Amino acid sequence: MSTARPLPPEPGRPTDPDPGALVDWGRVRARVGFALRAVRRRPVVATACFLAIAALGPVSLLVTPRTWRVEATLAAAHDPVVSTAADPVLLRALTGEEPASSAHDAILRRDRLAQIVQETGLLERALAGRSPLARVRDAVVEAVAGRPRTREERLGDLVDALQRRLTVAVPGNEPGAPAGAPHDRIQLALEWSDPAAARSVLEAAARGFVEGQRAREEAAGRDVERVLEDRAADVRREIEAKVTRIQSLEAAMLRGNPALSRTYRAPHGRVPQELELTQLRITLESRKAALADLERLRQARAEELRAELSRERTAYGEQHPVLARTRENLARAEAPSAEATALRAEIAGLEQEFARASERAARLVDDEDPALELERAELRVLLGRSATLRERVEAARVESAVARAGFDRRYAFAVPPTIPRQPVRPIPALSVAAGLLGGVLLALFVAATLDLRSGTVLEAWQLERGLGLRVLGELER
């Protein structure tokens, strides 16, 4: 009795992928492996695609216009002298806005940018230095428009490009800026195809902003002086009217009381004596203020030279000519100047004359006339107001002169614009890497596409996916 052999197991269907998986990694590995093996099956096509795309990287470096980024930092410190000259007591500034805050609007105005283009000859530079792609683009635009572009149109396009590419920022005013970020630094940056032209544009932009600030500060100083002088002139007219009134009252009083007239020592009444005393006091105080200003400037200059001497000692030897010259300048700065000596002598003479005038005024006798005393009290108030206004006018003039002298130190390049060593675009390594990567991807894509569209089953997964049968083995040809 014979036994029947069991039938071989029926080939099962390929295992279905896990429906809960996000990615069918088996299918991914099959596709990637197919593409890699397709390159080996079609080496000529894959090599041609790779070389064609990889060559675009170096070629793009030759035809793509280079873009350079030129940066500069401009210092724009607020002037505390001119801003508080109108109110030196409360030190209330004319404006609380920092100069750097207005830099963005002042520099990026269209009229100012057009002026910068004219000053630097940027339009002519841009036309002469156009890249081949830019020339082709302009030719296409003119062909479509049917006419050549005018100078005004090119100038407008250039101004628009400057508004997009020229950045003006103040680190301390940026959102999220740290607490110690400076508010008196203006950062200028321009990305342009010509680095020399970009540097010229930044220099012209900074120069225009600085000159505008100079004009505004000088105008503010002149306005303060004019207002104070007008007010001082009004007070002087009030004093003259008051003096005339007092003189008439004194003359009437002397005519009405002859016995009292014998006790007066002044032939024209007391008011001229008081006026002379007030004028002497004003002159004396102004000379003392001028001497104090000279001493303050001399001390400030000496401090600068001492700091400069300390810095030079770290870089030079004690016998270096630079140190010797700095020591001579320091000695001259510390020595009293001839102008200060003359002021001290004048102040000594004025003090003696003021003492004599005070003694003469003390010997005058007043009448017990309430109206006359009231007029004299009002005159003393006016004289004090006039002296204060004169001091403020003189102080405003000195402060304006000091501000003009220190303007170039407050507005200067902290970091001047320099031509960078390399352009920011295109990046050679990135262009070459992009070409190589693009060549590899195109070679894989073309080789795999040709294999798939050939109508030939080249790998087992094609049967398994297409027919739903599991492949038991493969035979090599």
Side-chain angles (χ1 to χ4, degrees), residues 363-440:
R363 291 197 300 265
L364 297 178
V365 180
D366 287 339
D367 183 32
E368 297 298 330
D369 186 359
L372 184 60
E373 286 300 318
L374 178 60
E375 296 291 339
R376 288 172 177 172
E378 293 179 354
L379 178 61
R380 283 191 289 270
V381 172
L382 289 175
L383 290 174
R385 188 179 303 168
S386 176
T388 302
L389 287 173
R390 286 180 177 275
E391 291 175 358
R392 290 175 62 177
V393 169
E394 186 65 24
R397 291 172 180 170
V398 173
E399 290 166 353
S400 298
V402 172
R404 287 192 296 270
F407 183 87
D408 293 334
R409 290 194 298 271
R410 293 184 291 107
Y411 290 87
F413 274 117
V415 179
T418 56
I419 297 177
R421 305 166 97 184
Q422 294 180 349
V424 294
R425 290 188 302 273
I427 303 174
L430 183 60
S431 299
V432 173
L436 294 176
L437 180 60
V440 170

Side-chain angles (χ1 to χ4, degrees), residues 99-223:
S101 302
S102 61
H104 184 275
D105 297 334
I107 294 176
L108 295 182
R109 294 200 321 265
R110 289 190 64 86
D111 57 343
R112 178 55 193 155
L113 292 178
Q115 185 179 359
I116 291 173
V117 172
Q118 297 293 341
E119 290 178 1
T120 59
L122 189 60
L123 181 58
E124 290 73 15
R125 289 185 178 185
L127 292 176
R130 287 181 297 174
S131 64
L133 290 179
R135 295 178 186 274
V136 171
R137 180 196 60 196
D138 293 343
V140 171
V141 171
E142 292 179 356
V144 173
R147 61 176 179 83
R149 304 180 67 196
T150 62
R151 178 181 176 83
E152 288 73 16
E153 292 175 345
R154 295 183 183 275
L155 180 60
D157 293 344
L158 201 57
V159 170
D160 292 338
L162 280 178
Q163 281 187 325
R164 292 192 305 269
R165 301 183 185 181
L166 179 60
T167 59
V168 181
V170 180
N173 295 344
E174 295 295 327
H183 292 267
D184 59 349
R185 292 293 185 270
I186 304 171
Q187 292 181 350
L188 306 175
L190 176 61
E191 294 186 358
W192 206 252
S193 57
D194 185 358
R199 182 177 62 181
S200 300
V201 168
L202 292 186
E203 291 175 350
R207 184 169 56 251
F209 173 72
V210 169
E211 292 303 323
Q213 288 297 122
R214 187 194 302 273
R216 279 189 287 273
E217 288 194 4
E218 291 179 356
R222 288 193 299 269
D223 291 342

Side-chain angles (χ1 to χ4, degrees), residues 24-57:
D24 188 353
W25 293 108
R27 180 174 295 183
V28 171
R29 285 192 294 270
R31 298 297 191 274
V32 173
F34 179 79
L36 294 176
R37 289 185 289 274
V39 172
R40 293 201 300 267
R41 289 190 291 267
R42 300 179 183 273
V44 177
V45 174
T47 303
C49 293
F50 173 76
L51 294 178
I53 301 301
L56 294 179

Side-chain angles (χ1 to χ4, degrees), residues 158-395:
L158 201 57
V159 170
D160 292 338
L162 280 178
Q163 281 187 325
R164 292 192 305 269
R165 301 183 185 181
L166 179 60
T167 59
V168 181
V170 180
N173 295 344
E174 295 295 327
H183 292 267
D184 59 349
R185 292 293 185 270
I186 304 171
Q187 292 181 350
L188 306 175
L190 176 61
E191 294 186 358
W192 206 252
S193 57
D194 185 358
R199 182 177 62 181
S200 300
V201 168
L202 292 186
E203 291 175 350
R207 184 169 56 251
F209 173 72
V210 169
E211 292 303 323
Q213 288 297 122
R214 187 194 302 273
R216 279 189 287 273
E217 288 194 4
E218 291 179 356
R222 288 193 299 269
D223 291 342
V224 170
E225 292 178 17
R226 184 176 63 253
V227 170
L228 292 176
E229 288 174 353
D230 292 344
R231 181 56 185 156
D234 294 340
V235 173
R236 282 197 299 271
R237 286 190 290 270
E238 294 180 12
I239 290 175
E240 292 173 359
K242 188 66 67 176
V243 168
T244 303
R245 171 67 176 166
I246 292 176
Q247 287 178 348
S248 63
L249 290 175
E250 287 184 346
M253 181 189 65
L254 293 177
R255 286 194 299 270
N257 191 354
L260 187 61
S261 62
R262 291 192 297 269
T263 63
Y264 269 77
R265 304 294 186 267
H268 301 289
R270 181 186 178 103
V271 171
Q273 300 296 324
E274 292 181 345
L275 185 60
E276 178 187 3
L277 187 63
T278 302
Q279 294 295 337
L280 285 175
R281 183 172 66 253
I282 294 172
T283 304
L284 181 60
E285 291 176 354
S286 65
R287 295 298 184 273
K288 290 181 178 180
L291 179 61
D293 291 338
L294 284 177
E295 290 297 326
R296 186 173 64 254
L297 292 176
R298 183 180 66 82
Q299 293 176 4
R301 177 60 179 167
E303 290 295 332
E304 291 180 1
L305 290 174
R306 292 190 191 97
E308 182 179 355
L309 183 62
S310 300
R311 290 193 300 269
E312 290 175 352
R313 281 176 175 169
T314 61
Y316 304 106
E318 289 295 331
Q319 304 301 324
H320 198 275
V322 174
L323 286 176
R325 184 171 61 253
T326 305
R327 292 193 190 97
E328 293 177 0
N329 294 335
L330 179 58
R332 286 196 297 270
E334 291 178 344
S337 62
E339 186 177 359
T341 303
L343 278 175
R344 290 190 180 92
E346 184 178 1
I347 289 172
L350 288 173
E351 287 178 346
Q352 295 176 0
E353 186 175 357
F354 182 76
R356 290 193 296 268
S358 300
E359 184 179 356
R360 288 195 303 270
R363 291 197 300 265
L364 297 178
V365 180
D366 287 339
D367 183 32
E368 297 298 330
D369 186 359
L372 184 60
E373 286 300 318
L374 178 60
E375 296 291 339
R376 288 172 177 172
E378 293 179 354
L379 178 61
R380 283 191 289 270
V381 172
L382 289 175
L383 290 174
R385 188 179 303 168
S386 176
T388 302
L389 287 173
R390 286 180 177 275
E391 291 175 358
R392 290 175 62 177
V393 169
E394 186 65 24

